Amino acid sequence: MNKSLNAAQSELQVMEFFAAALQDKVLLDRLMEAMGAKDNAAIITMAVERGYNFSQESLHQGLTKIFHLMTPIMQEQNLAVSEEID
């Protein structure tokens, strides 16, 4: 159980890091560049520089959760935009 708690805490750190990046244009630009290059080491380094601590596995799991949270929002916005165009 302790192992799953640590994994959940690490995934939460990933989500908090991404939330912080959304509030910092310079960090967001660096993060998007690293994500585009699929440079996980650079992403983890950026996170560590800001006091976050997570593994590559937690990064993957956190990104998966973020993607699953964002997908319905993006689909809804795309539908709203297409309805405005029609």
Side-chain angles (χ1 to χ4, degrees):
M1 176 133 176
N2 194 23
K3 189 174 182 178
S4 64
L5 179 60
N6 288 340
Q9 288 173 336
S10 292
E11 289 173 23
L12 180 59
Q13 289 250 327
V14 172
M15 296 174 101
E16 289 174 352
F17 172 66
F18 276 82
L22 291 173
Q23 298 174 23
D24 180 335
K25 173 94 172 91
V26 173
L27 176 58
L28 184 60
D29 289 345
R30 289 179 58 208
L31 179 59
M32 291 296 108
E33 184 178 322
M35 288 179 68
K38 298 183 180 183
D39 188 349
N40 291 341
I43 295 169
I44 291 171
T45 298
M46 283 183 253
V48 169
E49 290 170 353
R50 284 163 178 77
Y52 297 94
N53 182 25
F54 48 81
S55 66
Q56 196 155 340
E57 177 61 29
S58 293
L59 175 61
H60 175 73
Q61 294 297 324
L63 287 175
T64 300
K65 285 188 178 192
I66 290 168
F67 177 77
H68 287 286
L69 289 170
M70 295 296 295
T71 300
I73 295 167
M74 294 170 62
Q75 289 172 339
E76 187 174 309
Q77 286 188 339
N78 288 340
L79 180 60
V81 168
S82 68
E83 287 176 353
E84 287 177 12
I85 294 171
D86 290 342

